[in-house]
């Protein structure tokens, strides 16, 4: 399974780096998708990093502000966010589908993922 960390309270305009770790497996070698679920909203994909380092950013409000990286020795995938805004307040999840062929989906669907983390809360407030 996957484990997220790095969430917390962030001031608007700040930066944040979330981690997705698979301590007991090689799950982070697959195509990893970060999702977010804001209060009262459905879970949506934020960004994908494929096993071949293809990246896709999904929502327009995240483009130019997010990046992903992978450290295979630490079995960890990171999501970095800059110029954080209150709209970034959400629970952030990492997920994958171990049965996919390589490559990020054009649009990630929650019910297509077969491995999830428990989520990490990000709250943006001054």
């Amino acid at each position: 399974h996957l484990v997220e960390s790095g969430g917390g309270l962030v001031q608007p305009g700040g930066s944040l780096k979330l981690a997705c770790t698979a301590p007991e497996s090689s799950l982070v070698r697959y195509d990893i998708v970060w999702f977010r679920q804001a209060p009262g909203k459905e879970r949506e994909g934020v960004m994908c990093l494929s096993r071949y380092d293809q990246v896709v950013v999904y929502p327009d409000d995240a483009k130019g502000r997010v990046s992903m990286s992978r450290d295979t020795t630490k079995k960890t995938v990171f999501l970095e966010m800059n110029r954080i805004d209150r709209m970034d307040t959400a629970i952030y999840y990492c997920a994958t589908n171990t049965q996919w062929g390589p490559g990020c989906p054009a649009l990630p669907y929650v019910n297509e993922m077969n491995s999830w983390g428990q989520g990490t809360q990000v709250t943006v407030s001054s």
Side-chain angles (χ1 to χ4, degrees):
H1 66 289
L2 300 167
V3 179
E4 302 93 339
S5 62
L9 181 63
V10 187
Q11 291 191 342
S15 300
L16 192 66
K17 188 173 185 178
L18 305 179
C20 172
T21 303
E24 305 298 329
S25 72
S26 61
L27 281 176
V28 294
R29 295 182 180 271
Y30 289 90
D31 311 318
I32 300 294
V33 182
W34 279 96
F35 287 81
R36 67 185 179 189
Q37 187 162 16
K41 295 188 177 181
E42 294 190 358
R43 196 172 301 185
E44 64 171 352
V46 178
M47 188 168 185
C48 173
L49 175 65
S50 80
R51 68 198 72 181
Y52 299 126
D53 295 333
Q54 171 201 14
V55 294
V56 179
V57 181
Y58 297 107
D60 288 340
D61 61 51
K63 291 178 181 178
R65 301 194 300 121
V66 296
S67 62
M68 283 181 70
S69 59
R70 178 183 282 115
D71 186 333
T72 54
T73 59
K74 296 181 179 179
K75 297 184 177 182
T76 302
V77 172
F78 300 97
L79 174 70
E80 293 190 70
M81 297 186 292
N82 301 307
R83 304 194 307 277
I84 288 178
D85 186 84
R86 286 183 172 82
M87 66 181 177
D88 295 318
T89 293
I91 301 174
Y92 286 76
Y93 302 87
C94 60
T96 190
N97 183 320
T98 56
Q99 298 179 358
W100 270 344
C104 291
L107 189 65
Y109 291 98
V110 171
N111 59 5
E112 292 181 343
M113 305 294 146
N114 62 12
S115 184
W116 287 89
Q118 82 291 348
T120 185
Q121 174 72 50
V122 173
T123 302
V124 183
S125 175
S126 55

